[in-house]
């Protein structure tokens, strides 16, 4: 195994700690979702979307903003936000209702319908004007939030960013149905990054880590089960404060008000984490220290020691869940 002898080979092709033994934790359920799979040219450039949004009200008395929504995919997270939009008729809007949004519907008829003809066996039972997989469970869980987290499925690093609640995430992103800084802090900590890299798959020529809700998130043991964090805890607030500080400094670097267009073009999360300047390293150090304190563990743990403790905690949580049900 990488040139070293081992007495065993685990199912995940490692020779030491067997993270394939990690189990899904019900407490992490219904929080992480793949974005919508559109299958068709539903996406709109900022210019096309602007003209649709500026159009008069439709025959149903409703604006096109009901169905022309901001849209992000992995490129908008790892690179610069492109200001893209998408035509989105939800999860079950009937064709005659969708047609009342005249301009977006006719655009979809022209650009989407040819790809979604009934002759396509895989999509024959799906309404052509709706996304192929509109993710109703994700939409239900995001309802009522003012913002939510996204992370790319495939990325050199494991970034998490906030997006506005009215944004539609693409299938190349995972969306998390929480809006609090504490939750952001845990996901962007070394604890979760080390776990996600050890439990992920790998993709493409660059062999980049591929995040997966099932193996990377649903098995990850938080300091407390999600939704059961202690109220008014200084440990929780320390994580939230460090997370806010990281976001504020990162956003200030990404979008300085006096930067030229050329300078802004190079200011991406990927370039930032490639360089990893001292201020960024310090912001993550502060966040990691707060997260380790919540677990009650020393920050000096090696990655191998950290994974061992997280796997032990995963098994402990699973046993507690089983005992509470039995």
């Amino acid at each position: 195994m990488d040139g070293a002898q081992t007495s065993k080979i685990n199912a995940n092709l490692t020779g030491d700690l067997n993270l394939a033994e990690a189990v899904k934790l019900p407490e992490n359920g219904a929080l992480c979702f793949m974005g919508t799979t559109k299958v068709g040219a539903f996406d709109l450039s900022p210019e096309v979307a602007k003209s649709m949004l500026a159009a008069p009200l439709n025959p149903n008395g409703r604006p096109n903003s009901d169905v022309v929504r901001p849209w992000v995919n992995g490129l908008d997270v790892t690179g610069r936000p492109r200001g893209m939009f998408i035509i989105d008729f939800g999860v079950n809007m009937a064709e005659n209702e969708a047609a009342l949004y005249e301009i977006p519907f006719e655009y979809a008829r022209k650009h989407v319908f040819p790809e979604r003809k009934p002759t396509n066996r895989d999509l024959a039972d799906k309404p052509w004007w709706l996304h192929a997989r509109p993710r109703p469970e994700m939409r239900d869980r995001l309802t009522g939030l003012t913002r939510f987290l996204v992370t790319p499925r495939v990325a050199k690093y494991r970034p998490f960013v906030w997006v506005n609640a009215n944004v539609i995430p693409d299938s190349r992103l995972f969306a998390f149905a929480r809006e609090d800084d504490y939750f952001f802090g845990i996901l962007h900590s070394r604890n979760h990054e080390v776990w996600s890299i050890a439990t992920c798959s790998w993709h493409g020529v660059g062999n980049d880590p591929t995040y997966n809700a099932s193996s990377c998130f649903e098995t990850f043991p938080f300091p407390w089960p999600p939704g059961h964090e202690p109220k008014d805890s200084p440990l929780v607030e320390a994580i939230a404060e460090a997370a806010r500080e990281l976001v504020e400094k990162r956003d200030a670097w990404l979008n300085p008000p006096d930067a030229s267009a050329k300078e802004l073009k190079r200011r991406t999360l990927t370039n930032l984490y490639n360089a990893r300047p001292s201020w960024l390293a310090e912001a993550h150090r502060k966040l990691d220290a707060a997260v380790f304190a919540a677990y009650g563990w020393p920050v000096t743990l090696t990655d191998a020691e950290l994974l061992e403790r997280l796997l032990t905690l995963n098994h402990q949580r699973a046993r507690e869940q089983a005992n509470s049900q039995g």
Side-chain angles (χ1 to χ4, degrees), residues 77-78 151-160 188 193 196-197 202 207-211 250 268-276 280 284:
V77 175
T78 59
T151 193
R153 287 170 58 190
V154 181
K156 181 179 180 180
Y157 303 105
R158 182 47 48 206
F160 293 84
H188 224 323
E193 181 179 22
S196 68
I197 290 176
W202 302 84
N207 200 29
D208 289 327
T210 301
Y211 198 85
R250 206 169 63 177
T268 68
L269 276 183
T270 297
N271 288 341
L272 175 59
Y273 279 88
N274 277 337
R276 203 173 180 87
L280 180 64
H284 275 283

Side-chain angles (χ1 to χ4, degrees), residues 37-58:
T37 302
K38 53 190 179 70
V39 185
F42 289 95
D43 46 305
L44 304 171
S45 69
E47 294 74 24
V48 172
K50 183 178 180 180
S51 66
M52 290 187 185
L53 293 171
L57 294 179
N58 290 289

